[in-house]
Amino acid sequence: MSTHTEHQAQQGPEPLDVNDPRLSRFDVVQEGARRDDIEIVHYEPQVAPGSKAERRLTRTVALMFLLTGAFATAFLVVYIWWPWQWEPGAGGDKLYTPLLGVTLGLALLGVGFGILTWGKKLLPKEVSIQDRHDQVDNPEDRKITGETMLYLADEMGVRRRPLLGISLLAGLAPVGAVAAAPLIGGLIEQPHKNNQMFTTGFHPAEGGRKIRLIREDGRPIRPADVSVGGQLTVFPGIDGGVSNLHADSPTLLIHLREDDAQKSRAANERKGHGDYMWGNYVAYSKICTHAGCPASLYEQQTNRLLCPCHQSQFLITDNAKPIFGPANRPLPQLPIEVDEEGFFVAKSDYTETIGPDFWERP
């Protein structure tokens, strides 16, 4: 064999002109594969175009995508219109979260099974092996790449199977709306309705009636009910005061020792809260100013209140100032006194916003 023949054998067949109009799209794809040293080991369509099997699989995939769209739409309907505010007893509000989970889960299952069925049953089976190599691209490489992308689109069969494209659009459009719903959901309802971001259950009732501090069982609290160094979780004495309807209202009532009470009173006066305590009793919100967890682990020897979620610590004798952890704002203090019957009442609502920071917080 001559040297020229040996060289041709090593280089393989002469490259095709990819701009030749006689070449099909698949011919261009094959030429691109050969130039990239790709060996197509196996290539086999799984179903014949136009066959009963193809039509059956197309309907199956389309049904999955349409079910995806239906469940995603159901999620949006529940998210926007289903009653979500807590009400006593059995009611539709108890189904709000489960319905969101079920509809979203079924929508994701539908699109997942639809894509898997499409890929496993309708797309051709192909096994290719490619050697790694570096080379500078050229216009013909760009032509080959473009034709390869278009060929892949053809192989997906959307043009030949319009039902797939329609069902894919109908299924994934509501899924996109589901992803956007939490971002725009807060714009649907006025967040400042009834000034709810700035008031709690301790806001004085009509006529200026002050709200009593009560236990979880609804009983009002006298000073003698809390021992020295002890603490008690209290709630506003109103309808639903111990329920999730007033989840921003749980408060920690603490009976400080004499020396600690003096330190706390001095710290209150420095902040302009000189009349917030009653005797040696002080009350602070239990809602952590970091992430809204219940800060309820009180260590009476050090007068520190610990939030178990992220380990923020608040010094009760210094206006509940954060001294450790991620919280960067003191716990709000509730002004308290004792009414004519000897029960604790809130002199007013909290004068600072409860819980984590938000955009409009002063």
Side-chain angles (χ1 to χ4, degrees):
M1 183 183 293
S2 67
T3 303
H4 178 70
T5 305
E6 290 177 355
H7 178 73
Q8 279 190 326
Q10 292 174 357
Q11 295 295 320
E14 290 292 328
L16 299 177
D17 180 7
V18 296
N19 294 305
D20 188 343
R22 293 173 298 176
L23 296 180
S24 67
R25 182 166 290 158
F26 185 64
D27 291 334
V28 175
V29 172
Q30 283 184 314
E31 174 61 16
R34 189 191 65 78
R35 292 186 185 186
D36 274 346
D37 296 329
I38 296 175
E39 178 186 0
I40 300 178
V41 180
H42 178 77
Y43 188 91
E44 175 188 4
Q46 299 198 73
V47 290
S51 65
K52 289 184 178 180
E54 184 190 49
R55 292 194 295 270
R56 183 179 67 255
L57 288 170
T58 299
R59 289 193 297 268
T60 300
V61 174
L63 176 62
M64 292 179 183
F65 287 149
L66 292 175
L67 288 175
T68 294
F71 285 121
T73 302
F75 175 94
L76 293 172
V77 170
V78 173
Y79 184 82
I80 297 172
W81 287 289
W82 194 272
W84 59 271
Q85 291 184 315
W86 186 89
E87 297 289 344
D93 58 294
K94 309 302 186 297
L95 298 175
Y96 182 73
T97 301
L99 284 175
L100 288 180
V102 169
T103 52
L104 180 60
L106 291 175
L108 295 178
L109 281 175
V111 70
F113 279 116
I115 291 174
L116 283 174
T117 304
W118 193 344
K120 292 287 187 180
K121 301 296 183 181
L122 283 174
L123 295 184
K125 292 181 179 180
E126 177 181 333
V127 178
S128 301
I129 301 174
Q130 180 181 18
D131 295 330
R132 279 190 177 275
H133 58 277
D134 297 325
Q135 66 183 44
V136 181
D137 68 331
N138 55 58
E140 287 195 340
D141 288 338
R142 290 193 289 271
K143 168 74 173 179
I144 291 170
T145 301
E147 292 295 321
T148 300
M149 299 298 292
L150 292 174
Y151 180 75
L152 290 175
D154 288 344
E155 286 298 288
M156 292 184 71
V158 176
R159 291 183 180 179
R160 191 173 72 252
R161 310 162 184 142
L163 180 60
L164 284 180
I166 295 172
S167 62
L168 183 63
L169 179 62
L172 294 187
V175 172
V178 165
L183 301 177
I184 64 175
L187 303 177
I188 297 175
E189 180 99 12
Q190 168 56 265
H192 301 134
K193 180 180 177 182
N194 300 324
N195 204 29
Q196 61 184 350
M197 302 293 286
F198 300 93
T199 59
T200 71
F202 290 106
H203 186 74
E206 293 183 6
R209 180 177 63 84
K210 296 176 181 178
I211 305 301
R212 281 182 172 174
L213 280 57
I214 63 172
R215 295 178 176 84
E216 190 172 6
D217 59 8
R219 290 181 296 156
I221 300 166
R222 298 180 185 272
D225 295 336
V226 187
S227 60
V228 177
Q231 50 85 22
L232 186 66
T233 299
V234 298
F235 305 88
I238 58 176
D239 289 340
V242 299
S243 70
N244 287 339
L245 187 62
H246 294 283
D248 57 354
S249 300
T251 300
L252 200 65
L253 177 65
I254 303 173
H255 188 178
L256 295 171
R257 294 184 293 267
E258 182 63 36
D259 292 345
D260 296 329
Q262 291 180 9
K263 295 178 184 177
S264 181
R265 194 173 294 109
N268 274 185
E269 290 174 354
R270 290 195 301 269
K271 193 176 181 179
H273 292 174
D275 59 345
Y276 277 37
M277 292 178 62
W278 185 88
N280 293 346
Y281 295 83
V282 65
Y284 285 100
S285 170
K286 285 188 66 172
I287 310 302
C288 181
T289 54
H290 169 234
C293 298
S296 56
L297 301 179
Y298 177 61
E299 187 181 51
Q300 61 172 277
Q301 296 300 320
T302 60
N303 292 298
R304 294 186 179 189
L305 186 62
L306 171 69
C307 176
C309 291
H310 306 99
Q311 312 308 309
S312 292
Q313 295 182 24
F314 304 88
L315 185 59
I316 295 301
T317 53
D318 192 8
N319 298 306
K321 182 178 71 175
I323 58 174
F324 183 82
N328 62 0
R329 188 165 62 90
L331 295 172
Q333 185 175 358
L334 181 68
I336 57 173
E337 63 181 7
V338 172
D339 64 16
E340 62 277 4
E341 297 183 33
F343 296 108
F344 276 113
V345 295
K347 296 176 68 174
S348 69
D349 199 351
Y350 283 97
T351 55
E352 299 172 282
T353 51
I354 301 298
D357 288 349
F358 54 94
W359 185 264
E360 299 91 341
R361 188 185 74 79

